[in-house]
Every structure is written in C-alpha cells, then in structure tokens.
Amino acid sequence: MQYHEERLTTGNVDITLFERYAHSVFAYLRLHTPSLEDAEDLVLEVFTAAWEQDNLSWLADKQQLVWLRRVAHNKLVDRYRRAARMTVFSLEHIEESERNGQILTPEQIALRREEFAELGVLVGALSLFQQKVLKLRIGDGLPFADVAILLNKREAAVRKVYSRTLAQLRTSYQHKERSRL
C-alpha cells in the first residue's frame, strides 16, 4: 500500500480509527477504482469525512467499519458520476503518435473509438470476476500476486482466469471480425 499515514492531533480525532481500518477501506476502494492513486485519494476523502464527524467512538468497532464502508461507497459513486461527465484522452497515446510523426485523422480517431467500443462490449460480457482480474492486471499493471491478494484467490487461479479470459476475448473478437466479412 503506497499511501502515507500522517499523524494528526486535533481535538477528538481518533487516529486509531485510521490505523485500524485504512487497509480494509483501501482494499475495498482499490477493487473499484482505475488506479492506485484514485484509491489513495478516496481513502483520504473517507477519513476526512470521518474526522469531520468529530468522534465516531460512540459506535462499536464493527459499526465504525460499516460507516466507513458506506462513506467509501458514496465517494465512489460521486467519483463515477463526475467521471461520466468528462471525456478522457490518453496523453501517452497522443505523445506516442506525435513522436512517431503520425497525427491521427478524424476518421482514424472514429475507427479507434469504434474498436474500443467493440472491445468494451466484449469485456462487458465477461463475468464480474474476469473483469476485475483484467482491470487489476492490465489496467492497473499489478503483478499476479497482488491481484490474487486483492481478490482473495490463489495466484495460480488468477493466472488461469487471466489466460482463459484473454483467450475468450481473442476468440470473440475474431468471431466478430469474421462475421463482418
């Protein structure tokens, strides 16, 4: 986990709340965010909300975790709503195409968008578990060992699911291409 713990000493703030539940909240957020940095940002937002509540010590330990998870869920929903309104362009792709001296024409951009949309449909047809494995492995670049820990599975099982999922996507994509011809 890459986020940094900061010691805060303000009023009624219960620092042990962070120490007890940060890992659990982070793991939950990590499964539902596109990057490590997003999960770390949301962890900070969740615990900031907790600290703004003055003191959650009146809740039992289990209730504190439930409260934190609910806030984490709400923060995720807010983030997804904001992201749905924004158009995202990959800076790496733009830089790479400029380095290679190729600027994409509007037609090429439209074709790429169609290909990505088709791939999105194929990925959307996968099981939720397969989607999570792909997101963590490809999207976030995590090693299989970390993916296995986050998903509470054995590393060998995650490797198998990943391999079979890629083969399934490849077959589906080829079948779709053949049906166009």
Side-chain angles (χ1 to χ4, degrees):
M1 196 170 313
Q2 295 181 1
Y3 60 87
H4 304 285
E5 290 185 33
E6 293 183 20
R7 290 280 177 198
L8 299 176
T9 54
T10 59
N12 299 347
V13 174
D14 185 6
I15 301 301
T16 59
L17 185 72
F18 182 83
E19 293 170 345
R20 278 194 309 243
Y21 301 119
H23 293 298
S24 176
V25 171
F26 177 78
Y28 170 76
L29 291 169
R30 186 65 189 99
L31 284 174
H32 303 287
T33 54
S35 71
L36 224 62
E37 292 80 13
D38 287 343
E40 291 171 347
D41 291 347
L42 286 171
V43 166
L44 293 176
E45 289 180 31
V46 167
F47 282 94
T48 299
W51 290 328
E52 287 172 354
Q53 289 295 314
D54 291 329
N55 193 349
L56 294 177
S57 62
W58 57 273
L59 292 173
D61 287 350
K62 190 172 183 176
Q63 291 174 324
Q64 288 176 346
L65 180 59
V66 168
W67 189 91
L68 290 169
R69 277 279 185 96
R70 173 56 46 198
V71 171
H73 172 77
N74 292 341
K75 297 287 182 186
L76 275 170
V77 170
D78 291 345
R79 172 96 26 131
Y80 283 128
R81 284 181 183 151
R82 281 192 308 266
R85 287 183 242 144
M86 294 188 298
T87 304
V88 178
F89 294 98
S90 169
L91 292 177
E92 293 83 13
H93 176 69
I94 293 169
E95 289 173 357
E96 181 180 319
S97 63
E98 285 180 357
R99 268 187 259 125
N100 294 337
Q102 64 179 152
I103 306 277
L104 296 178
T105 65
E107 289 115 14
Q108 291 171 320
I109 292 172
L111 287 173
R112 283 242 169 111
R113 284 187 181 160
E114 286 178 20
E115 289 172 356
F116 284 133
E118 289 174 12
L119 183 59
V121 169
L122 294 175
V123 170
L126 297 172
S127 73
L128 188 58
F129 183 72
Q130 288 173 310
Q131 291 178 27
K132 284 181 182 180
V133 169
L134 285 178
K135 178 189 161 305
L136 293 171
R137 179 71 180 137
I138 296 173
D140 299 334
L142 294 178
F144 285 111
D146 291 350
V147 174
I149 290 169
L150 285 171
L151 298 176
N152 198 24
K153 299 288 183 186
R154 289 180 299 132
E155 185 177 344
V158 170
R159 285 179 184 273
K160 231 178 236 183
V161 166
Y162 177 76
S163 175
R164 290 178 181 168
T165 301
L166 289 181
Q168 180 181 344
L169 283 173
R170 194 175 301 116
T171 302
S172 298
Y173 191 78
Q174 289 170 350
H175 177 70
K176 203 167 205 170
E177 286 294 313
R178 276 189 235 127
S179 66
R180 279 191 200 164
L181 302 174

